[in-house]
Amino acid sequence: MSRLKQLSRFKLTLSVVAVGLLMFPFINDSRTAMIMLTKIFIFAVFAMSYDLLLGYTGIVSFGHAMYFGIGAYTVALCLKAFGPTIPVVLLAALITIVFTAIVSFLVGLLTLRLKAHFFAMLTLAVAALFLVVAEKWRSLTAGNDGFTFAIPELFRDRLTFYIVALVFMILVYLFLERFTQSPMGRVLQAIRENEARVESLGYRVMHYKITANVIAGIVAGLAGILYAMSLRFVNTSVFATELTLDALLITIIGGVGTLFGAIVGAAVIEYARHTLMDLASVHWIFGRWVILLGTVFILVVMFFPKGIVGSTKHWWEKRQMKKAKVTTSDKNFHQDVS
Amino acid sequence: MEMFINITINGLATGMLIFLLAAGLTLIFGLMDVLNFAHGALFLWGAYAGIWTYTTSGSFIFGIIAAIVACCILGYLLERFIVKPVYGNHIQQILITLGAMLVLSELVKVVWGPNIIHARAPEWLRGSWEIGGIFLIKYRVFIIIVGLIVFAGLLFLLNRTKLGLVVRAGVMDKEMVQALGINIRKVFLFVFILGAGMAGLGGMLFGPYSGVIYAEIGLEYGILAFIVVVIGGMGSVLGSMIAALLVGILGSYAAYFLPEIALAVNFLLMIFILVFKPSGIMGMKEALK
């Protein structure tokens, strides 16, 4: 009963935060803040899809940027070829879903039977192949220089785009939340905990892992679409390993295995990057953002392995447990006296 | 015909260089099962520390010693503070050593600046011999010889000495070795330092070979080392040697005939091998679950 209450309180807080974010642009008309928040929403979606693999299934992928890049290039090429209209964006979304599903299915089929670190290396290699193709196929992708494109009239307004990104993030969060709580999601978590046992219970582990890979790939592709549209520009950096590392960092900072953690992590990382870049003129260390990034990686693993959301949850549950214990021992005491 | 021989020799030299880089990782990743993504950073630090010492002191040998010493110290610090807390947990190893990799590569830019640094071979290793239309570039021959010495040394160490016996036994059953009164932690620390030192040597020799060094070679060649260890088979020094030579020779043929795909050749090779023989060329059946 109390767990239900607690859950609904959490959901209530979430709804308040969502409404607050929805109202934000009407209260504060800072353009930079709005653009930064849009970016946070997009990266939160990307990191949530990564968390489905890392946090819920226990798979470390180094090639997640591949799906993100596919989405980004699909929408960019479609808009460039067919003109900036809404149906073209929907078409691009459809193509992205189909294409990322096929690629993630094939990659999963080839690689998911390998041990964790071999899988990580292979995904890295496949993603590197995509990067090489994108670099070399200049007639299509314009290589590292990239190209700009026009986006539909409706999305040109930063405010509309902000709301689209926010709603998209909320939808993805709700969908993945549902998915991870479903029987299928439970099996994935069981695979993370003890793969051999799940297998011996008669589940076809590969089948579940591939499904998780496909869903994560599709969501990452959709995040790529929004990313390219927010920049109105695309180049081969969308395929770079650095992007996967970003998703990895966001996930572990926010808390592995908590979808909400991806959102918190994205906010923290983007905000930190934004402010630290501004501080570069104060001291050179802030310009060397990567040093801080790496240090954070190390410190989080050593002292903070559950991330922000995971640690908070842990602390909260412990507190609740203590409270519950105190009340029951009180009751016992009273009973003893009487 | 001469052309093929020249390309093959170039490939051999590149392969030996890759072997020097991957040999350390074969010990750290292949034998001790530590996913050390900071290995590329060790290579990078070896290159910068070695080339810097070499250009300021003028002595190539000094440079090599400096590179090895610097990387041994770094290796000690890495094992002691970064890797030790996460022995046995692969995901944490990936994350923490990735962090170390990022910090170390960026620190190189802080210490030596972000620009590329030029490196030349010493006087006595410049130029080439010509034998009947075949060009033997002295520096490449030098690398092939060093690679063979390191290869033989490693095989000797692992197969003929007591230390090698302890290492191989420790990999198989840590608790048992510990129960026999051997401090396996110390042995692992030693192996880690040895691997780091070899990465340093590889980095230093890489400088004059490519002519330039820059901060990005850490990640680039770190990944290449992983590819070689995976292709060769975990923990097999001979496998790493074969894989490194394969990568080197294939790479130099691709660069000549199909420059478009030269960049992708290593990855294609790894995908091909892992799909058809997941345990690698010389590996046992352990890549599969």
Side-chain angles (χ1 to χ4, degrees):
Chain A
M1 187 62 207
S2 82
R3 194 174 152 66
L4 202 74
K5 222 158 130 193
Q6 196 183 320
L7 207 72
S8 60
R9 196 188 292 165
F10 180 64
K11 282 218 167 121
L12 196 72
T13 322
L14 278 193
S15 323
V16 171
V17 171
V19 172
L21 281 171
L22 212 55
M23 298 304 292
F24 176 79
F26 301 100
I27 301 161
N28 183 337
D29 58 350
S30 156
R31 236 175 108 76
T32 20
M34 200 155 77
I35 292 173
M36 193 177 76
L37 278 171
T38 311
K39 210 175 162 200
I40 288 173
F41 300 151
I42 296 170
F43 272 96
V45 172
F46 185 46
M48 276 194 273
S49 76
Y50 195 82
D51 197 24
L52 182 66
L53 290 179
L54 178 71
Y56 284 92
T57 325
I59 307 171
V60 184
S61 163
F62 273 153
H64 211 53
M66 165 166 79
Y67 308 115
F68 192 78
I70 289 174
Y73 266 105
T74 307
V75 76
L77 291 170
C78 283
L79 286 174
K80 207 180 170 202
F82 306 124
T85 56
I86 302 273
V88 172
V89 174
L90 294 177
L91 175 75
L94 195 68
I95 298 176
T96 303
I97 290 173
V98 173
F99 198 41
T100 48
I102 293 172
V103 172
S104 55
F105 179 74
L106 288 177
V107 170
L109 206 60
L110 279 178
T111 58
L112 276 169
R113 67 203 173 102
L114 296 171
K115 262 190 192 168
H117 38 292
F118 290 93
F119 174 77
M121 295 307 300
L122 255 186
T123 50
L124 184 73
V126 178
L129 280 183
F130 267 84
L131 179 62
V132 170
V133 170
E135 291 273 0
K136 292 286 171 193
W137 197 348
R138 292 193 69 91
S139 56
L140 186 74
T141 64
N144 195 29
D145 303 331
F147 60 90
T148 55
F149 52 89
I151 60 171
E153 190 68 50
L154 181 67
F155 293 144
R156 243 170 265 170
D157 179 27
R158 290 279 172 200
L159 179 62
T160 323
F161 197 75
Y162 171 91
I163 291 170
V164 168
L166 176 62
V167 170
F168 180 65
M169 180 183 79
I170 294 172
L171 287 179
V172 168
Y173 174 75
L174 291 176
F175 168 71
L176 287 179
E177 177 75 28
R178 249 303 110 117
F179 177 73
T180 50
Q181 300 302 323
S182 73
M184 168 121 196
R186 293 291 180 196
V187 176
L188 291 180
Q189 287 170 50
I191 292 175
R192 176 192 66 195
E193 295 303 331
N194 190 336
E195 193 171 332
R197 189 169 292 173
V198 177
E199 184 124 49
S200 67
L201 283 174
Y203 290 100
R204 296 218 314 264
V205 170
M206 268 297 276
H207 167 84
Y208 285 93
K209 277 174 143 184
I210 288 179
T211 313
N213 203 40
V214 169
I215 291 177
I218 291 174
V219 174
L222 293 176
I225 290 184
L226 278 183
Y227 180 72
M229 286 211 297
S230 77
L231 292 181
R232 301 171 197 184
F233 168 80
V234 67
N235 74 352
T236 49
S237 71
V238 290
F239 279 117
T241 315
E242 281 79 5
L243 209 61
T244 308
L245 294 187
D246 276 351
L248 190 62
L249 184 66
I250 288 173
T251 312
I252 66 162
I253 286 223
V256 171
T258 60
L259 286 173
F260 191 62
I263 301 175
V264 175
V268 170
I269 293 294
E270 278 311 314
Y271 183 73
R273 196 193 314 246
H274 192 82
T275 41
L276 287 174
M277 284 297 182
D278 288 346
L279 282 176
S281 51
V282 181
H283 193 277
W284 59 265
I285 190 86
F286 295 115
R288 293 261 170 252
W289 151 257
V290 181
I291 292 187
L292 296 170
L293 185 89
T295 316
V296 169
F297 255 114
I298 296 171
L299 293 179
V300 167
V301 173
M302 278 190 168
F303 304 111
F304 215 39
K306 285 186 180 142
I308 296 171
V309 170
S311 299
T312 316
K313 220 180 190 174
H314 186 70
W315 169 80
W316 179 255
E317 270 162 15
K318 234 172 145 184
R319 217 185 78 155
Q320 293 291 319
M321 217 129 88
K322 230 184 218 164
K323 244 191 214 160
K325 227 185 210 166
V326 168
T327 43
T328 46
S329 65
D330 271 3
K331 242 183 230 159
N332 288 343
F333 177 72
H334 287 301
Q335 275 169 357
D336 282 351
V337 169
S338 62
Chain B
M1 190 59 209
E2 279 94 17
M3 190 188 75
F4 281 102
I5 294 175
N6 279 332
I7 294 177
T8 310
I9 290 176
N10 279 347
L12 271 181
T14 315
M16 279 295 182
L17 199 67
I18 297 171
F19 170 72
L20 283 177
L21 166 62
L25 200 64
T26 310
L27 297 178
I28 295 172
F29 172 47
L31 275 178
M32 287 157 52
D33 204 23
V34 174
L35 272 155
N36 181 23
F37 274 84
H39 196 73
L42 291 167
F43 174 77
L44 177 70
W45 271 81
Y48 270 83
I51 296 298
W52 181 77
T53 314
Y54 164 43
T55 44
T56 43
S57 73
S59 162
F60 189 66
I61 304 292
F62 249 33
I64 291 180
I65 294 170
I68 294 174
V69 169
C71 282
C72 284
I73 295 171
L74 271 180
Y76 172 76
L77 296 175
L78 265 180
E79 207 278 348
R80 195 71 189 60
F81 297 107
I82 302 287
V83 178
K84 207 175 173 187
V86 293
Y87 268 125
N89 187 332
H90 280 140
I91 292 181
Q92 290 198 333
Q93 278 169 8
I94 292 176
L95 296 174
I96 206 165
T97 56
L98 211 59
M101 161 91 212
L102 294 174
V103 171
L104 285 173
S105 326
E106 203 66 17
L107 277 178
V108 160
K109 287 190 204 162
V110 173
V111 178
W112 284 287
N115 300 326
I116 59 169
I117 289 180
H118 292 272
R120 286 194 72 187
E123 205 70 59
W124 47 284
L125 286 173
R126 279 180 209 160
S128 57
W129 297 294
E130 195 199 334
I131 306 164
I134 299 163
F135 285 96
L136 290 176
I137 294 166
K138 282 185 191 169
Y139 193 75
R140 297 201 168 162
V141 176
F142 170 71
I143 282 181
I144 292 177
I145 294 169
V146 174
L148 285 174
I149 293 172
V150 169
F151 176 62
L154 257 185
L155 281 185
F156 179 79
L157 184 76
L158 283 178
N159 296 326
R160 291 272 183 276
T161 62
K162 187 162 179 252
L163 183 77
L165 191 72
V166 171
V167 171
R168 284 181 295 140
V171 170
M172 273 188 213
D173 194 338
K174 217 179 279 178
E175 279 75 28
M176 192 49 127
V177 174
Q178 195 110 39
L180 290 172
I182 295 161
N183 190 343
I184 195 74
R185 286 270 172 246
K186 269 209 176 116
V187 176
F188 273 24
L189 175 63
F190 173 79
V191 173
F192 200 95
I193 292 173
L194 185 70
M198 279 197 279
L201 174 68
M204 168 62 194
L205 294 180
F206 173 83
Y209 177 80
S210 80
V212 287
I213 52 174
Y214 45 92
E216 279 72 33
I217 59 173
L219 192 62
E220 250 169 66
Y221 285 84
I223 289 173
L224 192 60
F226 267 103
I227 291 178
V228 165
V229 174
V230 168
I231 292 178
M234 296 281 282
S236 165
V237 177
L238 179 64
S240 299
M241 179 60 129
I242 296 173
L245 293 182
L246 204 62
V247 166
I249 291 173
L250 219 63
S252 68
Y253 272 98
Y256 192 83
F257 292 107
L258 286 163
E260 287 292 301
I261 65 152
L263 276 172
V265 154
N266 309 321
F267 296 117
L268 285 172
L269 185 67
M270 179 163 86
I271 292 169
F272 183 78
I273 292 207
L274 275 188
V275 167
F276 290 101
K277 193 168 186 304
S279 52
I281 297 173
M282 297 295 289
M284 311 297 167
K285 277 217 172 303
E286 65 157 40
L288 289 172
K289 295 217 169 100

